[in-house]
Each structure stands twice: as structure tokens, then as C-alpha cells.
């Protein structure tokens, strides 16, 4: 029910896609939408805040946009909490019944106040992106949430940022970092492009709340795309995607030679906000694993234009059906066990990812970065990814 989302992305499809990806606990999203909430209620109820469909667990979440266009993620403890939040904010929204991600004519502080009243967790979504994020409009979390700042318990990093970026900013170090991503379709190359690995008592809301608040359990791993692959990583034109240094963009008064608007990139925004030259990770911060979707790796290896071509799908299915999930194929299965299932160039591409022998040409201005294997001389600036260990090493 959100704009730009596939009409085929229902709860059943999400549950199936999550299994293929290797996810155990999914967010419902769009929990304030009345029709979506009705469908959520039809799932098996595990407890007040956890539901199940075809073996996949779900917790109640929504994303809302405030009066300044900042997006906030809410995680609810129960259906009654969702309904209570709806009742308290409905008069501040003109599209709550039409859009899964409604706009609330309220400040971030006011939304956080209501979240506390209904016992929901809250934090900023994709906090660094230049359009609808906290740091797009504010220089600090306190400016956004005011007297409710201490109630904020997490920050969602977004596709263009990782732990090394965020932990250069002192005010964020007390917060749990979530690596989640908006899903516009149920396919594993779009679903859970970023995810979190937690040690929890159970895949349910109560355990999730406790690990976010660091009362019990612990975060083991943040998993996400290399930040350079995000479409707003570097400062660039939103029309022709020409990249600029921050100084050049300011000198040009944020207008490209083509006449398009230059948008400040996440990397430059972090430089403006950073309190430290290097990241300072608190003891409870888990490692960050850069993970690229398997379909993208196969597509690049065989030279196809899309992850949904018949050839890409055939190879993806051969691997996932054999080893159970995309995550298992990408980082846990010995390379030797992949032999015979797909061609050598696909296996070598997966191996190159694990060994860090790939190059990311940074994105910017709304254009995703480009991943290539081996060396690429199309741009002077290159960012190499470290060799990755198994998820189960963490």
C-alpha cells in the first residue's frame, strides 16, 4: 500500500521471499494502513506483538513521514498499540487510510511522545539519505526529537551508510544500529537487501525489543550493501549523475552544468557531522558485513541486464534450492561445494566477492553504485571491499 511497491507483495509472498533469503523474523511494514492491518490480524498470533504465516515470524512496524519530511520507524508491541497510535495521530494525517507510509503533520518530538505513550520503539529511518532523513534537515538527533531524544533507541543506517560512517558521530554511539532496507518487491534481491543478525531468546517482539534496548541478547552482525553502492553515497547531479566534490558543489551553488540540481552525498554529510576522523566503535557494536545480493553477482558474472532474466533465475534457484537460502550460498557454503551446480564464472564471481576482489564505483544523485569484479579503470576513485568471513563466524 506504499507508493512504488509491487501489487504482488502481499504477506504470503513476503514470507516466501524471506525464507529464500534466509530471514527468520520479518517486519510487517505499513501497520497503520487499515486493510494491511486487517490482513496482519488474519495471521497466526504467537503473542501480542508477534505473528506467523507459513512458518515466517512477523513483528508490527510502520514508517511515517513527519512535517519536515523526516522518516521514522516504529516497532509496535501489539495490535492494540498500533490502533492506539492510529487514534492519537489520525487527525494529523490526510492519507493514513490511503498510503502505507503516511505523512503526519507532527514534529519528530511529537511522534516520539505518542510512540512512548503506546510503548512502541522509535528511531530515524535511513538517517543519512539526503531527501527524507533526519540528517538531511537537522544537524543533531536532539534537534529532531527534542526532549524525547533519550527515548529514541535505535538508528537505521540506510543503504548509503554503514557502521564506520555512523560511529564517527559521537551522539549516535549510545544507539543500536539497525541495517534494514525498504522492500519494493518480494524477490530476494530486493527483500532484506540489508538485515541484522541478533542473538535472541526467541524470534518475537519481546526478544527484539530487549536486544535493541540491550537488556538481553546481543547484536552479532549488521549486514548491508557497501555504502558506495547506495544511490546517494557521493555528491552528484540528480539529472545527469555527474559527481562533484563538496567544495565544487558549493561553488556552483548546487547547480550542475546540465542545469540539474546537485544533491549532497551521504559521505560528505558524514564529514560535516563527524566528531572523529576515524570511527569509534563502542564495545557492544557488532561487525558490519558488506553483502551483495546473489542475483546481482550472478547477473554480473553472466553479463545479463537484470536479476530476473531466465538465465539468472535458473542459476539462482539451483544454488538456493541446494543450500537452503541466499545467505548460505553467499558466505557460508565452501566454494568447492558449488562446483557442478553453476558455471565456473559464477563460482569465481562468488569467490571474488568473498575475497574482496571487487570494485565499487560509488553512486550518487539517485543512481546506484556499480559493482565490478577485479580492477576497473573507469574512475580514479575505487573502494575495495574486505574479504568476508562466514556469517557464523560472528
Amino acid at each position: 500500500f506504499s507508493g512504488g511497491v509491487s501489487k504482488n507483495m502481499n504477506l504470503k509472498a513476503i514470507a516466501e521471499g524471506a525464507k529464500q533469503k534466509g530471514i527468520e523474523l520479518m517486519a510487517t511494514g505499513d501497520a497503520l494502513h487499515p486493510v494491511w492491518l486487517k490482513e496482519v490480524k488474519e495471521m497466526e498470533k504467537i503473542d501480542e506483538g508477534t505473528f506467523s504465516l507459513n512458518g515466517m515470524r512477523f513483528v508490527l512496524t510502520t514508517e511515517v513521514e513527519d512535517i519536515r519530511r523526516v522518516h521514522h520507524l516504529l516497532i509496535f508491541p501489539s495490535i492494540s498499540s498500533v490502533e492506539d497510535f492510529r487514534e492519537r495521530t489520525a487527525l494529523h494525517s490526510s492519507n493514513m487510510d490511503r498510503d502505507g507510509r503516511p505523512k503526519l503533520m507532527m514534529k519528530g518530538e511529537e511522534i516520539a511522545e505518542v510512540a512512548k505513550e503506546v510503548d512502541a520503539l522509535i528511531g530515524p529511518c535511513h538517517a543519512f539519505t539526503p531527501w527524507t532523513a533526519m540528517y538531511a534537515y537537522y544537524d543533531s538527533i536532539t534537534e529532531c526529537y527534542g526532549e524525547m531524544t533519550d527515548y529514541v533507541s535505535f538508528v537505521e543506517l540506510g543503504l548509503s551508510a554503514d557502521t564506520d560512517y555512523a560511529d564517527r558521530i559521537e551522539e549516535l554511539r549510545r544507539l543500536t544500529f539497525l541495517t534494514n532496507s525498504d522492500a519494493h518487491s518480494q524477490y530476494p534481491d530486493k527483500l532484506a537487501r540489508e538485515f541484522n543478525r541478533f542473538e535472541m531468546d526467541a524470534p518475537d517482539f519481546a526478544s527484539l525489543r530487549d536486544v535493541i534496548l540491550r537488556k538481553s541478547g546481543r547484536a552479532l552482525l549488521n549486514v548491508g550493501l557497501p555504502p558506495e553502492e547506495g544511490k546517494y553515497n557521493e555528491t552528484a547531479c540528480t539529472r545527469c549523475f555527474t559527481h562533484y566534490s563538496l567544495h565544487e558543489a558549493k561553488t556552483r551553488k548546487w547547480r550542475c552544468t546540465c542545469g540539474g540540481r546537485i544533491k549532497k552525498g551521504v559521505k560528505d554529510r558524514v564529514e560535516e557531522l563527524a566528531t572523529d576522523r576515524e570511527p569509534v566503535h563502542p564495545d557492544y557494536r557488532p561487525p558490519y558485513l558488506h553483502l551483495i545480493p546473489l542475483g546481482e553477482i550472478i547477473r554480473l558474472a553472466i553479463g545479463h541486464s537484470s536479476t530476473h532474466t531466465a538465465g539468472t533465475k535458473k542459476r539462482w534457484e539451483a544454488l538456493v534450492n541446494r543450500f537452503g537460502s541466499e545467505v548460505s550460498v553467499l558466505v557460508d557454503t565452501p566454494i568447492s561445494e558449488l562446483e557442478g551446480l553453476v558455471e565456473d564464472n559464477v563460482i569465481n564471481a562468488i569467490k571474488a566477492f568473498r575475497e574482496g576482489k571487487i570494485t565499487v564505483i560509488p553512486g550518487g544523485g539517485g543512481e546506484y553504485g556499480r559493482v565490478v569484479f577485479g580492477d576497473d579503470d573507469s574512475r580514479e576513485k575505487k573502494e575495495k571491499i574486505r574479504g568476508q568471513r562466514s556469517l557464523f563466524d560472528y
Side-chain angles (χ1 to χ4, degrees):
F1 298 102
S2 292
V5 176
S6 168
K7 298 298 182 183
N8 296 322
M9 194 178 174
N10 52 46
L11 289 167
K12 182 178 179 181
I14 293 172
E16 182 60 31
K19 287 180 182 177
Q20 293 176 329
K21 185 75 176 191
I23 304 299
E24 296 179 68
L25 183 65
M26 281 294 299
T28 63
D30 298 2
L32 297 175
H33 193 281
V35 181
W36 191 248
L37 185 60
K38 179 178 180 295
E39 295 180 12
V40 170
K41 290 178 180 179
E42 294 171 357
M43 292 194 289
E44 178 188 358
K45 183 178 178 180
I46 303 300
D47 56 40
E48 291 299 318
T50 317
F51 299 81
S52 178
L53 178 63
N54 295 339
M56 180 56 56
R57 295 285 188 97
F58 288 85
V59 290
L60 298 159
T61 70
T62 196
E63 185 175 337
V64 298
E65 182 177 304
D66 72 17
I67 196 168
R68 289 289 302 274
R69 294 192 67 196
V70 176
H71 288 190
H72 308 267
L73 174 64
L74 293 108
I75 309 174
F76 296 98
S78 65
I79 292 289
S80 61
S81 174
V82 174
E83 293 174 335
D84 196 2
F85 186 91
R86 259 186 64 92
E87 183 177 338
R88 293 167 186 255
T89 59
L91 292 179
H92 299 278
S93 176
S94 62
N95 66 343
M96 189 174 288
D97 290 344
R98 300 195 310 272
D99 196 317
R101 184 179 56 202
K103 183 172 182 65
L104 305 180
M105 301 304 292
M106 303 170 66
K107 298 178 182 178
E109 181 178 8
E110 296 170 326
I111 295 172
E113 287 176 355
V114 179
K116 184 176 182 179
E117 290 169 357
V118 303
D119 202 25
L121 301 177
I122 187 171
C125 295
H126 39 75
F128 296 95
T129 53
W131 293 106
T132 55
M134 178 178 71
Y135 285 129
Y137 301 99
Y138 299 103
D139 289 332
S140 73
I141 191 171
T142 302
E143 287 183 18
C144 181
Y145 291 103
E147 294 183 359
M148 295 303 300
T149 298
D150 289 345
Y151 185 71
V152 175
S153 56
F154 64 84
V155 57
E156 185 185 81
L157 298 181
L159 298 181
S160 293
D162 63 7
T163 300
D164 282 348
Y165 279 36
D167 269 336
R168 291 183 61 196
I169 302 171
E170 184 177 7
E171 69 173 1
L172 297 182
R173 292 178 196 143
R174 73 169 182 85
L175 298 169
T176 296
F177 288 170
L178 298 184
T179 37
N180 309 311
S181 59
D182 294 344
H184 294 259
S185 74
Q186 71 275 22
Y187 300 109
D189 62 326
K190 297 296 187 291
L191 190 71
R193 290 173 294 176
E194 302 201 336
F195 59 90
N196 314 280
R197 189 175 185 88
F198 293 137
E199 180 182 272
M200 296 162 52
D201 292 335
D204 56 27
F205 170 81
S207 298
L208 177 63
R209 176 191 58 208
D210 287 348
V211 77
I212 289 175
L213 297 178
R214 298 196 296 278
K215 291 183 176 180
S216 68
R218 61 191 176 110
L220 299 177
L221 198 63
N222 287 118
V223 182
L225 301 182
E228 296 80 17
E229 197 176 359
K231 58 184 180 180
Y232 296 109
N233 181 254
E234 290 194 345
T235 297
C237 175
T238 59
R239 182 187 295 175
C240 72
F241 308 120
T242 297
H243 289 230
Y244 291 89
S245 70
L246 185 58
H247 175 72
E248 289 172 331
K250 290 179 177 179
T251 300
R252 300 188 62 86
K253 300 186 186 300
W254 302 97
R255 283 294 171 186
C256 179
T257 53
C258 75
R261 182 181 182 184
I262 300 172
K263 202 66 178 173
K264 187 184 297 180
V266 168
K267 184 158 61 175
D268 284 331
R269 184 58 174 144
V270 169
E271 287 295 335
E272 291 180 331
L273 298 166
T275 52
D276 294 273
R277 293 181 62 86
E278 299 294 331
V280 179
H281 301 302
D283 292 341
Y284 50 80
R285 188 77 72 220
Y288 192 106
L289 179 66
H290 295 110
L291 187 66
I292 299 169
L294 177 61
E296 288 290 338
I297 293 178
I298 296 172
R299 178 188 72 79
L300 288 168
I302 64 178
H304 283 202
S305 60
S306 168
T307 58
H308 301 299
T309 63
T312 302
K313 284 183 176 180
K314 179 180 178 180
R315 292 163 176 83
W316 184 91
E317 290 172 353
L319 292 169
V320 172
N321 290 343
R322 171 66 178 82
F323 298 107
S325 74
E326 179 172 309
V327 170
S328 177
V329 174
L330 277 174
V331 294
D332 292 315
T333 303
I335 289 294
S336 61
E337 294 186 20
L338 305 179
E339 296 175 359
L341 295 173
V342 290
E343 302 92 329
D344 288 346
N345 58 339
V346 175
I347 295 173
N348 290 337
I350 295 173
K351 183 179 179 182
F353 163 74
R354 293 186 180 185
E355 295 176 353
K357 295 180 179 178
I358 61 176
T359 301
V360 183
I361 309 302
E367 180 182 54
Y368 283 106
R370 183 163 59 90
V371 178
V372 295
F373 297 105
D375 293 328
D376 186 296
D377 296 324
S378 60
R379 289 190 57 182
E380 292 182 4
K381 175 180 275 186
K382 302 173 184 179
E383 297 288 346
K384 292 291 183 71
I385 297 176
R386 299 184 299 274
Q388 308 293 332
R389 289 184 286 164
S390 165
L391 279 176
F392 297 102
D393 289 340
Y394 299 97

